[in-house]
Amino acid sequence: MLTRVKSAVANFMGGIMAGSSGSEHGGGGCGGSDLPLRFPYGRPEFLGLSQDEVECSADHIARPILILKETRRLPWATGYAEVINAGKSTHNEDQASCEVLTVKKKAGAITSTPNRNSAKRRSSLPNGEGLQLKENSESEGVSCHYWSLFDGHAGSGAAVVASRLLQHHVTEQLQDIVEILKNSAVLPPTCLGEEPDHTPANSRTLTRAASLRGGVGAPGSPSTPPTRFFTEKKIPHECLVIGALESAFKEMDLQIERERSSYSISGGCTALIVICLLGKLYVANAGDSRAIIIRNGEIIPMSSEFTPETERQRLQYLAFMQPHLLGNEFTHLEFPRRVQRKELGKKMLYRDFNMTGWAYKTIEDDDLKFPLIYGEGKKARVMATIGVTRGLGDHDLKVHDSNIYIKPFLSSAPEVRVYDLSGYEHGADDVLILATDGLWDVLSNEEVAEAVTQFLPNCDPDDPHRYTLAAQDLVMRARGVLKDRGWRISNDRLGSGDDISVYVIPLIHGNKLS
């Protein structure tokens, strides 16, 4: 036990950290190096880099910032920039993709019946043709824009796979509901195939009491059709889109789990995606990347980070309900510091899954085990191993030198937030910022907003490169300048040594959709 604890402490202090591996085949289990890669490593396709340029970009000393060569490769004149880490891993483990998805109904069938074969995808690459959001009159499909960022750890395999395939899962899930979404005047049916219910909300159903009194329209009455006993929930259309995105993340994670027996899919990744569908932005986040809207100088957060600290109660509750997941090596309780054997029988501050505050408990033998969550801030780890609690992959991740799997504590479920583009007349400097944690580790929301609001007004509003230059500026501010004491940013603070990827998406194009 003491040896295991020492190993866990060593891991926490820097031995094993999420994202520190340079291996593309690591992870053990089914992801062995004897298996082929699912997809070859590369940089985002929309950058249009040659293989030589990809290799040159992997300079951990110079850390060149990559930007779009042609703005027409991305819709809405979206800006993008990225830079590799300062030596943490061989490859840049961030990945990105951006496409225009076309979702079509199933031909020759009722609209409520799923059809996996009728979903089509139109890429925005290698050129920008056909990037306007519109309904396809011939196929009666609906187009939507898709942006994504993936931050890999313990290898880039999962991030590469997710960047290639998650959009297909999104399309498939939306295809099941596209006809319902297009008919925005009618609430989604409770059961697929039912006729739309146009009756007023206050007369849609009878209460159980009224039906038992035998009132008009009661079940069994010959004069009226059968009715439901209880009032139904009214489900808005955007909830169907949220559910589709949540299902897409789940299906992507399950696909990685299945395919790791045939392919080498190293590590795991966080996932942050945005789709623009029927005049609304849907931001889905699983991990510690972040999205914010900057609108007339105002900051509107569009995501939350999922870390061991923010999800402490969920993780502790799972461990409490299923203690076997702890492998008799960890305790689900949290203490201000490690408990020492000499403190047995004393009262110490602790926190359980049902608590946001702290209380005192008498220390017992089980409290000497290593804590499920250890550390603070960016150094907080689950089982002294991983610093993010939501994402894709990590199916083979174990506690160092043990057979304890960490995946049961990790979730692929994203948080989805919705922004109605029609609710505001956006200007040329109103933008949505998407970035991996390499940016947010060193720059606050306020610093990013200040940088953008100072930079964009100095650019020609008709210059299509202005948003790419803004993204480049943010990456430069977070990376900093290499000095004798490492990479430094403003006020001589330590710059980001992590991979950094940034989208700057202008919202003025959303005015045309509302």
Side-chain angles (χ1 to χ4, degrees):
M1 176 64 189
L2 182 60
T3 301
R4 188 68 51 78
V5 169
K6 287 181 178 179
S7 296
V9 172
N11 296 343
F12 166 70
M13 294 305 292
I16 295 181
M17 294 178 63
S20 63
S21 172
S23 171
E24 290 305 305
H25 303 282
C30 299
S33 59
D34 56 325
L35 296 175
L37 294 173
R38 180 64 168 87
F39 295 104
Y41 171 81
R43 300 317 307 142
E45 187 179 352
F46 55 71
L47 287 176
L49 302 179
S50 67
Q51 186 58 40
D52 287 342
E53 289 173 319
V54 171
E55 293 176 2
C56 290
S57 72
D59 186 335
H60 299 285
I61 303 299
R63 299 182 73 191
I65 298 175
L66 306 182
I67 62 173
L68 283 172
K69 296 179 180 178
E70 304 174 35
T71 58
R72 66 191 183 94
R73 285 179 172 269
L74 294 182
W76 292 14
T78 293
Y80 179 84
E82 69 171 40
V83 70
I84 197 169
N85 62 79
K88 183 185 73 169
S89 60
T90 303
H91 289 149
N92 184 336
E93 294 179 338
D94 286 358
Q95 289 290 329
S97 61
C98 180
E99 301 186 9
V100 176
L101 311 178
T102 300
V103 187
K104 295 173 60 178
K105 72 174 184 179
K106 181 179 180 180
I110 61 173
T111 60
S112 59
T113 302
N115 176 24
R116 300 299 182 187
N117 297 321
S118 66
K120 289 187 177 180
R121 178 174 65 90
R122 183 175 69 251
S123 174
S124 62
L125 307 172
N127 55 54
E129 297 178 0
L131 292 181
Q132 297 301 316
L133 179 67
K134 62 182 180 179
E135 284 196 12
N136 187 322
S137 58
E138 180 180 352
S139 61
E140 299 183 13
V142 172
S143 296
C144 70
H145 293 99
Y146 169 92
W147 298 264
S148 65
L149 282 178
F150 306 91
D151 185 353
H153 48 256
S156 62
V160 170
V161 170
S163 71
R164 299 290 190 97
L165 299 180
L166 180 55
Q167 55 268 45
H168 295 285
H169 289 289
V170 170
T171 303
E172 285 192 4
Q173 296 298 325
L174 291 175
Q175 183 265 330
D176 289 344
I177 58 174
V178 61
E179 291 303 305
I180 298 174
L181 297 176
K182 288 167 64 176
N183 191 6
S184 60
V186 179
L187 288 173
T190 299
C191 293
L192 291 176
E194 284 187 340
E195 289 296 322
D197 191 346
H198 297 280
T199 57
N202 59 3
S203 62
R204 282 184 73 179
T205 60
L206 292 177
T207 64
R208 178 175 174 85
S211 65
L212 293 177
R213 288 196 301 268
V216 177
S221 170
S223 61
T224 58
T227 187
R228 304 173 181 88
F229 281 174
F230 302 104
T231 300
E232 293 182 23
K233 289 184 177 179
K234 297 176 178 62
I235 309 300
H237 290 79
E238 68 180 37
C239 286
L240 294 187
V241 180
I242 293 172
L245 295 178
E246 292 168 335
S247 297
F249 273 61
K250 177 183 177 182
E251 291 301 318
M252 182 70 260
D253 194 47
L254 291 174
Q255 182 175 359
I256 292 175
E257 181 181 21
R258 290 192 306 270
E259 294 193 352
R260 79 193 203 284
S261 62
S262 303
Y263 299 98
S264 174
I265 304 177
S266 58
C269 66
T270 66
L272 172 63
I273 74 168
V274 177
I275 67 167
C276 179
L277 178 65
L278 299 175
K280 293 183 179 181
L281 292 176
Y282 296 84
V283 181
N285 182 51
D288 59 358
S289 294
R290 189 184 305 174
I292 63 171
I293 285 175
I294 303 170
R295 190 183 69 190
N296 195 27
E298 177 189 4
I299 300 171
I300 304 173
M302 292 301 296
S303 66
S304 301
E305 280 92 74
F306 294 98
T307 67
E309 287 189 314
T310 63
E311 294 217 275
R312 173 188 62 84
Q313 289 178 280
R314 177 183 73 81
L315 300 174
Q316 286 183 310
Y317 182 68
L318 176 60
F320 171 77
M321 294 299 294
Q322 301 188 50
H324 65 278
L325 296 176
L326 300 175
N328 202 35
E329 299 284 352
F330 295 86
T331 173
H332 77 277
L333 298 178
E334 180 184 13
F335 298 93
R337 58 169 171 77
R338 283 298 312 278
V339 179
Q340 303 178 48
R341 181 165 294 277
K342 66 181 181 181
E343 293 165 331
L344 284 171
K346 296 182 179 179
K347 287 185 176 292
M348 179 179 283
L349 286 170
Y350 84 106
R351 194 159 56 165
D352 207 339
F353 68 85
N354 62 321
M355 303 167 64
T356 56
W358 294 79
Y360 287 95
K361 77 176 295 289
T362 301
I363 297 300
E364 304 170 0
D365 282 334
D366 279 350
D367 300 327
L368 299 176
K369 296 176 181 177
F370 203 82
L372 171 65
I373 300 169
Y374 192 68
E376 290 183 287
K378 292 297 293 185
K379 293 184 178 180
R381 294 289 181 268
V382 177
M383 294 179 161
T385 305
I386 187 169
V388 290
T389 53
R390 297 202 190 188
L392 305 170
D394 289 314
H395 295 281
D396 298 308
L397 184 63
K398 297 179 183 180
V399 175
H400 178 65
D401 195 28
S402 80
N403 201 37
I404 303 174
Y405 282 92
I406 300 177
K407 181 64 175 178
F409 292 97
L410 310 180
S411 172
S412 63
E415 176 201 44
V416 184
R417 297 191 185 184
V418 185
Y419 180 80
D420 191 346
L421 289 166
S422 66
Y424 193 89
E425 189 70 17
H426 299 94
D429 297 341
D430 296 332
V431 293
L432 169 63
I433 306 292
L434 309 180
T436 53
D437 66 333
L439 180 80
W440 307 110
D441 285 349
V442 297
L443 298 180
S444 66
N445 288 357
E446 291 73 22
E447 288 175 310
V448 168
E450 181 181 6
V452 170
T453 53
Q454 289 179 355
F455 186 90
L456 288 178
N458 292 321
C459 298
D460 181 352
D462 297 322
D463 182 2
H465 297 88
R466 66 197 307 261
Y467 303 106
T468 286
L469 295 176
Q472 181 184 40
D473 180 66
L474 288 177
V475 173
M476 289 179 64
R477 288 172 180 265
R479 183 202 64 178
V481 178
L482 184 59
K483 298 183 178 181
D484 293 338
R485 295 179 296 118
W487 292 91
R488 295 284 162 171
I489 60 175
S490 62
N491 299 325
D492 203 36
R493 294 177 296 169
L494 188 64
S496 176
D498 200 358
D499 303 310
I500 310 171
S501 301
V502 178
Y503 281 114
V504 178
I505 305 171
L507 298 181
I508 191 171
H509 295 273
N511 295 342
K512 304 173 185 178
L513 309 178
S514 54

